[in-house]
Amino acid sequence: MAELRHSSSIGGRATPSPRKRDDVTSPLSSDNHPPQDDDGGRDRHARDRFRSLFSNHFQLLDDSARVYSHNFKILLFLITILAFAGMFTVYSVISHLNAPYLCTKDGITLHCPRVKEPPSLWENPLPATTSWKPCAEKRIGAISDLPEANETNGYIFIHAEGGLNQQRIAICNAVAVAKIMNSTLILPVLKQDQIWKDQTKFEDIFDVDHFIDYLKDDVRIVRDIPSWFTDKSELFTSIRRTVKNIPKYAPAQFYIDNVLPRIKEKKIMALKPFVDRLGYDNVPQEINRLRCRVNYHALKFLPEIDDMANQLVARMRNRTGSPNPFMALHLRFEKGMVGLSFCDFVGTRAEKALMALYRLKEWPRRFKDGSHLWPLALQKRKEGRCPLEPGEVAVMLRAMGYPKETQIYVASGQVYGGQNRMAPLRNMFPNLVTKEELTTKDELDGFRKHVTSLAALDFLVCLKSDVFVMTHGGNFAKLIIGARRYMGHHQKSIKPDKGLLSKSLGDPYMGWATFVEDVVITHQTRTGLPEATFPNYDIWENPLTPCMCKA
């Protein structure tokens, strides 16, 4: 019984699995279950191998699917990256192709985009002439934001001082200041200049009706001092009616804080002096755009001045019997300019002695005893701050490639030194003419009454020339270059590198080929190309940033 119980307990602990019962041999059940034959065992082993192979095959398929899925995700990720990179590249290429032509300044070096077309003597590169368009003109259909006449903050009155071009700038600034303070502008008076001794009135040179009408939606302008203000002389003489503490290049906020309260109090105030009394990069862009609107659209010369200038241009273009381009040269080498520059120039001892006496008389404080002027003159010439002599201009133009046959219109006063000083330029460029040589005496007599009328003729011919060349700074050259840029940068406006010329012409070992190479390379980017206005320029020489748009 004990053995039986022991056997039963062993049998009770056996696994209930049918396979295990078949496989495991119990001493108590060996007689009850005879062993299976060999064929059955082989079938069972075959089925097991089949199941194992089938299972392994599906396991391989499952692993392959997972590897394929992983690789597919990587491939998809790479394709996405490549697609984004391609889109960015295409966008960059299109943006580069559509980007407007614009030069950038690095120190004193100007970097301009490369162009495929060969350089031209008469025109700027095509991309430079098609990238920008003027956009300061009168807005057609615009609603005026001017208050009623009886709601104006007051009236402002200015004297436009200096020569024609300084007066032009003052008029543009006066309109802008009137807009800033929401005031009414009394038509500016052109003050007699101490050098020019000219008494031209506004209406003697500019079209008043067009000026007032064109700006009627921007600023209210009246022809004369209001009739209710009886003591008109007070505006010219009384300090109580004059704002005198306006700093040069003042910001717009200065006028609002310091000038406007006085105008509201007195109703009419004169602003004096008014030369360069409004800044450029410290006023709203809309105010700068208004100044361009005045300069390029509202200020028109009288029709008779414009007509005579067009005749001069036509005669310059047909001097050879067939249409030809021409150059306008602003030659600033009058006695007054030579004396004021305090530079040293080629001349005889007697000529230099006379110039010293002239400087002592005109500028005694600067001249003193004259002993300090020689090193100062050398320094100024080295820095390129001296007017170019006619002979220097001739050598520069020939180095640039302009041939002897070039037609040149000279805008200049009486050249210091006369024909002897002009001889080198005339010998190298014999087709050199002035307005006096292009016209009859009777044609010019009507313009001789006002010096500014003659200056206006020179201004318009230079503006419409194929190439304009300046020889020294000043408002005339600045306004011409700015206007030609505003017209689309098509016409070349050459601004010589006088520092380079001084260095090269003073080097006795420099050969002609080296000089030509230096001049050509340096002046490729000094032709009035598109460039941002600030901080290197004011809006008169370069109006691009506030007054031009992408074409």
Side-chain angles (χ1 to χ4, degrees):
M1 290 296 292
E3 290 178 358
L4 182 59
R5 284 195 299 269
H6 179 69
S7 299
S8 300
S9 65
I10 293 175
R13 286 197 301 271
T15 176
S17 169
R19 286 185 61 191
K20 292 247 176 129
R21 281 199 302 269
D22 292 340
D23 296 338
V24 178
T25 303
S26 173
L28 295 179
S29 58
S30 57
D31 295 335
N32 299 330
H33 299 281
Q36 298 178 352
D37 58 11
D38 292 340
D39 292 338
R42 282 194 297 270
D43 291 342
R44 186 166 59 251
H45 287 304
R47 286 195 301 270
D48 289 345
R49 282 195 302 272
F50 177 76
R51 288 194 194 101
S52 176
L53 289 173
F54 191 76
S55 174
N56 289 339
H57 177 70
F58 275 97
Q59 182 68 32
L60 289 173
L61 288 176
D62 187 54
D63 290 344
S64 299
R66 281 199 296 269
V67 170
Y68 176 79
S69 176
H70 180 69
N71 290 340
F72 179 76
K73 289 178 180 178
I74 293 176
L75 180 63
L76 186 62
F77 177 73
L78 292 175
I79 292 174
T80 304
I81 291 177
L82 290 174
F84 276 111
M87 291 172 61
F88 179 76
T89 302
V90 171
Y91 175 78
S92 299
V93 171
I94 294 175
S95 299
H96 178 73
L97 292 175
N98 293 332
Y101 186 103
L102 186 66
C103 302
T104 56
K105 183 162 281 188
D106 181 15
I108 62 172
T109 304
L110 190 65
H111 300 285
C112 296
R114 293 177 178 267
V115 294
K116 293 182 179 179
E117 62 185 282
S120 167
L121 287 175
W122 299 101
E123 296 177 345
N124 278 324
L126 182 63
T129 67
T130 57
S131 293
W132 302 92
K133 64 179 181 180
C135 58
E137 64 272 15
K138 182 180 179 180
R139 295 161 294 175
I140 304 300
I143 300 175
S144 175
D145 58 354
L146 289 178
E148 298 297 328
N150 57 359
E151 294 180 4
T152 181
N153 285 326
Y155 293 78
I156 62 172
F157 176 80
I158 70 145
H159 281 104
E161 303 174 357
L164 172 64
N165 301 292
Q166 186 170 302
Q167 291 171 345
R168 188 184 190 95
I169 292 174
I171 293 167
C172 297
N173 287 341
V175 173
V177 167
K179 180 70 173 179
I180 289 170
M181 298 190 294
N182 193 20
S183 302
T184 299
L185 175 66
I186 300 170
L187 196 68
V189 170
L190 307 186
K191 187 177 179 180
Q192 178 179 345
D193 185 79
Q194 294 180 353
I195 298 176
W196 295 104
K197 309 295 183 184
D198 188 43
Q199 296 185 11
T200 305
K201 296 179 181 178
F202 193 104
E203 56 269 25
D204 293 330
I205 193 82
F206 297 114
D207 186 334
V208 177
D209 292 333
H210 175 79
F211 178 71
I212 294 175
D213 183 68
Y214 195 90
L215 297 171
K216 65 183 180 182
D217 293 331
D218 295 296
V219 175
R220 182 169 287 104
I221 302 171
V222 296
R223 289 175 177 266
D224 204 354
I225 299 168
S227 57
W228 52 262
F229 187 73
T230 55
D231 192 2
K232 296 184 179 182
S233 62
E234 189 179 359
L235 272 179
F236 297 89
T237 58
S238 175
I239 195 170
R240 295 183 299 116
R241 291 283 180 182
T242 305
V243 181
K244 298 181 70 70
N245 61 340
I246 303 174
K248 276 199 168 188
Y249 308 111
Q253 196 61 41
F254 178 88
Y255 285 90
I256 295 173
D257 295 339
N258 300 279
V259 181
L260 181 57
R262 296 188 64 184
I263 292 176
K264 285 183 174 180
E265 177 190 358
K266 299 289 187 179
K267 295 304 178 185
I268 297 182
M269 292 293 290
L271 310 183
K272 183 182 178 181
F274 199 66
V275 178
D276 296 328
R277 287 316 193 263
L278 184 64
Y280 303 106
D281 53 354
N282 53 5
V283 301
Q285 287 292 70
E286 182 54 41
I287 294 298
N288 280 330
R289 196 170 296 114
L290 174 60
R291 293 154 102 177
C292 290
R293 194 172 305 139
V294 179
N295 187 27
Y296 303 125
H297 300 283
L299 276 177
K300 289 182 64 175
F301 291 116
L302 291 175
E304 52 266 32
I305 296 176
D306 201 45
D307 291 343
M308 187 70 247
N310 287 335
Q311 290 185 47
L312 292 173
V313 170
R315 292 170 189 177
M316 284 300 303
R317 292 199 189 284
N318 292 280
R319 292 197 73 223
T320 60
S322 60
N324 58 263
F326 77 96
M327 174 188 295
L329 174 65
H330 185 221
L331 190 58
R332 295 206 72 187
F333 208 75
E334 306 90 348
K335 183 177 180 179
M337 178 54 61
V338 172
L340 181 61
S341 71
F342 279 84
C343 293
D344 185 62
F345 298 97
V346 175
T348 63
R349 289 186 178 181
E351 196 174 30
K352 293 188 177 185
L354 288 173
M355 176 54 68
L357 291 174
Y358 173 70
R359 287 170 172 167
L360 176 61
K361 177 185 175 182
E362 297 294 331
W363 302 280
R365 291 186 179 180
R366 287 186 61 187
F367 188 83
K368 298 178 183 177
D369 63 356
S371 60
H372 68 293
L373 295 179
W374 174 245
L376 176 64
L378 290 178
Q379 183 64 26
K380 291 183 73 172
R381 181 164 290 278
K382 184 184 299 184
E383 294 172 356
R385 294 191 289 142
C386 294
L388 290 179
E389 295 188 47
E392 293 174 324
V393 175
V395 173
M396 177 192 72
L397 294 178
R398 186 56 63 84
M400 288 180 178
Y402 290 98
K404 183 177 182 179
E405 298 74 25
T406 302
Q407 303 292 325
I408 301 179
Y409 176 92
V410 179
S412 173
Q414 184 64 42
V415 173
Y416 176 66
Q419 293 303 317
N420 289 337
R421 183 74 65 175
M422 287 291 292
L425 177 59
R426 195 173 289 278
N427 289 339
M428 296 183 75
F429 294 95
N431 295 315
L432 204 69
V433 292
T434 64
K435 57 182 174 293
E436 288 79 11
E437 295 171 300
L438 283 174
T439 58
T440 65
K441 181 178 179 299
D442 291 340
E443 284 179 316
L444 280 188
D445 279 347
F447 300 95
R448 296 185 193 279
K449 295 182 296 184
H450 305 291
V451 176
T452 48
S453 296
L454 295 174
L457 291 177
D458 281 342
F459 184 94
L460 289 173
V461 175
C462 289
L463 183 64
K464 298 174 183 181
S465 64
D466 296 283
V467 170
F468 171 71
V469 181
M470 61 174 285
T471 59
H472 196 51
N475 292 320
F476 183 98
K478 181 189 295 187
L479 286 168
I480 291 291
I481 292 175
R484 290 164 69 90
R485 276 175 157 153
Y486 185 75
M487 291 160 60
H489 303 90
H490 180 75
Q491 302 156 311
K492 278 194 170 187
S493 302
I494 298 174
K495 188 176 182 179
D497 186 339
K498 294 185 290 182
L500 169 75
L501 293 174
S502 174
K503 178 182 176 182
S504 300
L505 294 174
D507 184 354
Y509 302 104
M510 179 174 284
W512 176 250
T514 304
F515 176 71
V516 168
E517 183 181 8
D518 287 351
V519 169
V520 170
I521 292 175
T522 300
H523 291 86
Q524 282 178 347
T525 58
R526 299 179 70 90
T527 59
L529 294 168
E531 186 182 351
T533 304
F534 309 116
N536 300 298
Y537 301 93
D538 58 38
I539 61 172
W540 312 120
E541 187 173 352
N542 182 11
L544 186 144
T545 302
C547 304
M548 301 187 73
C549 309
K550 295 178 183 178

